[in-house]
Amino acid sequence: MKFLVVGAGPAGALLATLFARRGAEVTLLERQPDFEREFRGEVLMPSGLSMFDQVGLAEELAAVPRRAVDSVEIWTGERRLFELDLHRELGPIGVPHAVSQPGLLEALTGTAGRHPGFGLALGAGVRDLIEEDGRIAGVRTDDAELRADFVFGCDGRFSTLRPRAGLDRERTPQHFDVVWFKLPAPRDLPSRLVFWLGSPQLALVVPTHEERVQLGWVIDKGAYGDLKARSIEEWADTLAGHLSPGWAAHVRENLEQITRPHLLNVVCDHLERWSRPGLLLLGDAAHPMSPVGAQGLNVALRDAVVAANHFEALVGGATPAELDAAAERVRDERLPEIAEIQALQQRGPRLLFEDRWTTRFATRRAAPLLARLGIAQLFAGGLLRRFAAGTADVRYVHG
């Protein structure tokens, strides 16, 4: 059986590795020439970490640079509301880890490369699909036509395959975008996530595997153009106004070491159809996730494991109808969790990211009161556990 996997992100690389290990002939295509690029989604939640344990790749993951995230701290303006100890909140399921995504991709493709049926094509951007008799039979890159028994689209929220396959539809944008950049970590920074609730602004700091942090700034949808027109000193000063004093000073002191900002155009929805004959979309290609709860990377890995469950049994030979039926089963199994998580992701933004009196009341009045009563901590802990563990029982069945 010959497979093509388009998109060498973590989900595509994991899926290709599992197929190669099972004996399939599989080619993994990636439009970028290497893995050394900026990534935003670098937090592996327990729901994603557990996938590596289940498929027997825990040792490979352990060799990838990473840092445990021990706590979450919530602020509103200059007021610290509360802190959650993630070891206590999450218990036996474990804590999130910030990982080196280039390191993770190198580890996965290196493992896959030990199997004779695996091929990696970097710098191979897909331009179109090959269709024969109403069925996807391969892809066209700038340099070649590649044919396969089945194609998997793991090429992200800006998927080329989705519109080419006629599966695209109008996206459902949120009311906000996120500007991400990195800067040096303070020397005394514990491994914690830090959130600042604002009106309607929000910011967060995420540890990385290295001696830097990611800082995300939530802005109004479409406001990035105005932001880019300002000097770095101007927009950093505006951002600092939403942070606690220590972090505001740190941003201002490290202007020259801030990396170029990356805009995440926030979309949170899913396709009802993930496949057509000969093709299956997975991860953000089928269901672009909001950054809320650090779910995109993790649900995509879970998609890959479920796809492996349904397709590995067909590696020895299958009819087109059997392959297409497997694709439908993957979508049917994964869609309930995706829909539930996306519903959770959209509740908070509706309350916190819109410039309304309810937003100002929630962040300035209600949140401090609920924190003093301990109610906010209980609510945040419950939501955190659902994001951390996932809402479905995903298990690898071919181990």
Side-chain angles (χ1 to χ4, degrees):
M1 191 63 61
K2 187 174 184 178
F3 295 142
L4 285 176
V5 180
V6 179
L14 177 60
L15 184 62
T17 300
L18 297 178
F19 284 157
R21 191 173 68 181
R22 189 59 59 173
E25 183 180 349
V26 55
T27 300
L28 177 61
L29 304 175
E30 171 54 47
R31 65 183 178 85
Q32 298 292 340
D34 55 47
F35 298 133
E36 294 300 325
R37 55 190 187 275
E38 285 290 335
F39 294 91
R40 290 178 292 265
E42 295 184 314
V43 175
L44 272 174
M45 302 295 276
S47 64
L49 286 164
S50 67
M51 296 300 99
F52 292 94
D53 291 333
Q54 291 194 33
V55 302
L57 294 174
E59 184 176 338
E60 287 79 358
L61 178 63
V64 176
R66 57 177 171 163
R67 181 191 299 269
V69 182
D70 298 316
S71 64
V72 176
E73 193 172 76
I74 309 295
W75 291 69
T76 177
E78 298 183 5
R79 179 185 298 178
R80 181 178 180 273
L81 296 180
F82 60 87
E83 182 175 358
L84 295 178
D85 182 323
L86 296 187
H87 295 276
R88 183 172 62 248
E89 293 290 335
L90 300 179
I93 71 171
V95 299
H97 282 71
V99 300
S100 164
Q101 196 163 138
L104 178 60
L105 298 178
E106 292 284 358
L108 287 171
T109 55
T111 299
R114 296 200 289 265
H115 301 280
F118 176 76
L120 173 64
L122 294 171
V126 171
R127 301 305 174 200
D128 207 350
L129 292 165
I130 299 171
E131 184 172 346
E132 295 176 351
D133 300 323
R135 182 176 185 80
I136 304 304
V139 302
R140 294 185 180 90
T141 69
D142 288 333
D143 304 316
E145 287 192 356
L146 302 173
R147 294 175 180 269
D149 297 298
F150 205 87
V151 177
F152 297 87
C154 303
D155 52 340
R157 65 180 53 225
F158 301 112
S159 171
T160 297
L161 302 192
R162 186 176 61 225
R164 296 292 191 276
L167 294 172
D168 207 8
R169 65 178 179 83
E170 185 176 353
R171 305 279 83 190
T172 306
Q174 304 293 281
H175 297 291
F176 66 99
D177 291 327
V178 182
V179 179
W180 287 102
F181 52 91
K182 289 183 178 179
L183 70 162
R187 289 190 182 92
D188 59 346
L189 177 71
S191 295
R192 68 164 62 109
L193 289 165
V194 187
F195 289 88
W196 290 270
L197 304 179
S199 177
Q201 299 283 355
L202 181 145
L204 66 155
V205 165
V206 183
T208 70
H209 67 280
E210 53 193 342
E211 296 304 315
R212 295 196 291 172
V213 295
Q214 276 193 325
L215 204 159
W217 184 13
V218 177
I219 62 174
D220 293 332
K221 176 71 70 175
Y224 188 58
D226 176 65
L227 187 65
K228 285 200 304 182
R230 306 184 198 177
S231 69
I232 188 171
E233 291 82 6
E234 288 177 314
W235 65 254
D237 193 62
T238 302
L239 167 61
H242 299 285
L243 307 179
S244 49
W247 273 103
H250 186 73
V251 168
R252 292 187 176 107
E253 290 166 3
N254 287 274
L255 291 179
E256 295 183 357
Q257 298 187 66
I258 292 176
T259 61
R260 183 174 64 87
H262 290 264
L263 176 69
L264 174 63
N265 179 20
V266 177
V267 177
C268 183
D269 69 1
H270 55 266
L271 299 176
E272 292 301 325
R273 291 177 58 211
W274 295 14
S275 66
R276 54 170 296 186
L279 170 71
L280 172 64
L281 301 179
L282 298 169
D284 273 351
H287 47 77
M289 308 295 289
S290 163
V292 174
Q295 293 296 289
L297 166 61
N298 298 280
V299 296
L301 290 169
R302 291 160 74 82
D303 285 359
V305 169
V306 171
N309 284 342
H310 289 281
F311 279 88
E312 283 188 5
L314 306 177
V315 164
T319 66
E322 288 172 329
L323 292 167
D324 296 338
E328 290 290 336
R329 292 195 299 272
V330 173
R331 178 264 183 198
D332 290 345
E333 183 173 340
R334 291 298 299 139
L335 186 55
E337 180 175 57
I338 298 303
E340 185 172 356
I341 289 177
Q342 288 188 333
L344 291 172
Q345 288 183 316
Q346 297 192 69
R347 289 174 189 167
R350 291 192 186 108
L351 177 64
L352 298 176
F353 299 162
E354 297 181 24
D355 192 8
R356 301 181 302 180
W357 73 266
T358 51
T359 303
R360 292 185 287 275
F361 176 79
T363 57
R364 297 176 185 175
R365 304 287 186 182
L369 175 61
L370 294 174
R372 284 197 300 272
L373 296 173
I375 297 172
Q377 293 88 319
L378 291 174
F379 174 79
L383 184 61
L384 174 66
R385 284 188 288 276
R386 297 184 75 184
F387 280 140
T391 64
D393 185 18
V394 175
R395 296 188 181 276
Y396 182 57
V397 300
H398 296 291

